[in-house]
Amino acid sequence: EAGVAQSPRYKIIEKRQSVAFWCNPISGHATLYWYQQILGQGPKLLIQFQNNGVVDDSQLPKDRFSAERLKGVDSTLKIQPAKLEDSAVYLCASSLDEGVGTQYFGPGTRLLVL
Amino acid sequence: GENVEQHPSTLSVQEGDSAVIKCTYSDSASNYFPWYKQELGKRPQLIIDIRSNVGEKKDQRIAVTLNKTAKHFSLHITETQPEDSAVYFCAASTGAAGNKLTFGGGTRVLVKP
């Protein structure tokens, strides 16, 4: 079974620029999560989708971050404009359903904002 | 919201010894507690999880215990090996709002040969 795929793996941008990350979850997984992991910390949930609907985006900085999952499969996370403090690893995860089930993580996108 | 605290932040053990990592959580409604292992530059991988209707769960050299009354749970690794060196994260979820996981700050485990 293929795992969660993410791209790009690394991205370096200057502050105030825009950046987008892509995630392809495990086939058949209805629930998709985006986490932000700052160096030395645990992952923090940014947004959760159930199919193509948002379940929780309470910790998403909506003035600069946006995410979509138009067809209920792939998802993109965008930052516009980026700030220095956005430097982190952005992890995508998926699970089979909305209930209490295992979340499988992708390899992450490491973002450095200069 | 839920708050998960994890201790210690770093742990150094001799190969063959045991390692114990402890987490406390704040929301008494939490009922799912996974543990993830993250090697340097790699994705977090689930190593074991426990649900609130169980007090202990084992999988070979790894065990997790849960004390719902005290709101804490622990990871135990026995007979540690160099490949156990990694950062370990605990997490908690109430199962509501789509299984939102709140993670602890992580424990960096170093197993010395």
Side-chain angles (χ1 to χ4, degrees), chain A residues 3-4 9 31 33 35 37 40-43 45 48 55-56 58-59 91 98-103 105-107 110, chain B residues 31-32 36 38 41-46 49 51 89 93-106 108:
Chain A
V4 177
R9 294 295 313 277
T31 310
Y33 312 79
Y35 289 87
Q37 186 175 24
Q41 298 181 18
L45 181 70
Q48 178 187 342
V55 174
D56 185 342
S58 57
Q59 297 189 92
L91 293 162
E98 191 178 7
V100 178
T102 301
Q103 293 186 26
F105 283 84
R110 187 175 298 273
Chain B
N31 58 12
Y32 175 63
Y36 283 84
Q38 188 175 31
K42 297 192 176 180
R43 73 189 74 192
Q45 293 201 302
L46 181 74
D49 57 13
R51 298 178 192 273
F89 292 98
S93 169
T94 63
N99 192 27
K100 173 182 174 179
L101 288 179
T102 301
F103 283 84
R108 184 174 298 278

Side-chain angles (χ1 to χ4, degrees), chain A residues 64-84:
Chain A
R64 297 184 301 107
F65 286 65
S66 64
E68 60 183 12
R69 193 185 184 198
L70 289 176
K71 296 183 178 179
V73 180
D74 294 2
S75 177
T76 56
L77 176 69
K78 297 179 182 177
I79 308 175
Q80 180 181 6
K83 292 186 175 181
L84 297 178

Side-chain angles (χ1 to χ4, degrees), chain A residues 33-46:
Chain A
Y33 312 79
W34 282 102
Y35 289 87
Q36 180 192 59
Q37 186 175 24
I38 293 172
L39 187 65
Q41 298 181 18
K44 182 185 84 171
L45 181 70
L46 293 175

Side-chain angles (χ1 to χ4, degrees), chain A residues 81-101:
Chain A
K83 292 186 175 181
L84 297 178
E85 58 261 36
D86 298 333
S87 295
V89 176
Y90 291 85
L91 293 162
C92 179
S94 70
S95 65
L96 193 57
D97 57 31
E98 191 178 7
V100 178

Side-chain angles (χ1 to χ4, degrees), chain A residues 17-34:
Chain A
Q17 285 188 323
S18 302
V19 65
F21 313 128
W22 173 83
C23 173
N24 179 243
I26 293 172
S27 178
H29 280 196
T31 310
L32 185 147
Y33 312 79
W34 282 102

